[in-house]
Amino acid sequence: MSQRTLDPRMLDTGTALPAMSGAALTGIDASDFVFISKTTISSSVSASVVNFDQTAYSNWVIWIRDLHAVSNGDIRIRWSNDNGSSSWTNQNYGYALNGGRDGSNADYGMSPEAYGLLADDSWNNAGAKTNATINLTTKAGDNQDEVCMWWSAGYTDSAYGSKAQSYTAGAIHVVAPGYNTAFEISSEGGNIDEGTITLYGLKES
């Protein structure tokens, strides 16, 4: 078989290089975001639990899209140390800033709570859904396995009149080592019945 030298000047940069089989080279993903899981809520449940390998990455992103609750209530999060089986921490949740289109806001950072507040008093109207982006690290503290998270969200508040179109933003440091194996999304008012929760890991190098 004769050999030919490839002249790089003749390459078409808009076309993938052929593999040995003649197929285009594929499957190379240079993205820093690595898809981990997607949970779809399509029926009424008390909560949605997402567990993952906390040793795979140190930094993560959670996308919550079109989350709907059957009754008015706070949309909230909490963390587990046993993959969401039974053990949940209630330590040091509680810093959020909530506001709406009337220009006022409310600070919920005065005292810890049993859950982390993501959206205060979310409305259960059919068209009122919570959307949020949560950034977090599972290696917060002094080299400890602790969760530190910060987020922003848009939703519809049921209780404050002209503040109906609302946002919330905040940060939470869960000062409880090891409670980073799973998280739970729920509503204080009752079940949740619609939405998706997507988890990504973030490459560091």
Side-chain angles (χ1 to χ4, degrees):
M1 173 186 262
S2 63
Q3 294 183 345
R4 299 179 61 185
T5 301
L6 179 63
D7 186 343
R9 294 172 298 178
M10 302 299 293
L11 294 177
D12 178 2
T13 57
T15 304
L17 289 171
M20 291 295 291
S21 65
L25 293 175
T26 60
I28 301 174
D29 183 6
S31 173
D32 288 337
F33 286 97
V34 180
F35 174 80
I36 304 298
S37 67
K38 182 177 183 179
T39 302
T40 300
I41 303 161
S42 57
S43 61
S44 183
V45 294
S46 60
S48 182
V49 176
V50 178
N51 57 57
F52 58 98
D53 179 8
Q54 75 279 10
T55 65
Y57 300 96
S58 296
N59 300 293
W60 312 78
V61 176
I62 304 167
W63 285 354
I64 297 175
R65 294 293 177 264
D66 294 330
L67 185 70
H68 181 263
V70 298
S71 302
N72 298 344
D74 299 343
I75 301 299
R76 56 196 189 172
I77 187 171
R78 62 178 180 170
W79 288 86
S80 170
N81 70 351
D82 63 357
N83 295 312
S85 176
S86 61
S87 182
W88 301 91
T89 183
N90 61 359
Q91 293 192 39
N92 208 31
Y93 296 117
Y95 196 94
L97 180 68
N98 167 248
R101 61 183 177 180
D102 61 355
S104 63
N105 60 65
D107 187 340
Y108 299 98
M110 300 306 295
S111 61
E113 300 288 345
Y115 292 81
L117 176 65
L118 296 178
D120 176 65
D121 202 21
S122 182
W123 193 21
N124 73 328
N125 182 275
K129 299 173 182 179
T130 297
N131 292 276
T133 299
I134 305 171
N135 300 281
L136 66 101
T137 175
T138 52
K139 297 292 185 182
D142 186 13
N143 297 316
Q144 298 189 75
D145 293 335
E146 297 175 356
V147 169
C148 185
M149 50 180 282
W150 55 103
W151 77 94
S152 59
Y155 73 107
T156 301
D157 195 314
S158 69
Y160 295 108
S162 61
K163 199 187 288 187
Q165 296 174 1
S166 292
Y167 74 89
T168 184
I172 295 171
H173 184 185
V174 183
V175 190
Y179 282 82
N180 61 357
T181 65
F183 62 89
E184 175 194 84
I185 303 295
S186 65
S187 170
E188 176 206 20
N191 286 3
I192 51 179
D193 62 357
E194 186 179 350
T196 60
I197 304 169
T198 309
L199 177 68
Y200 293 86
L202 180 61
K203 294 179 182 178
E204 297 185 45
S205 61

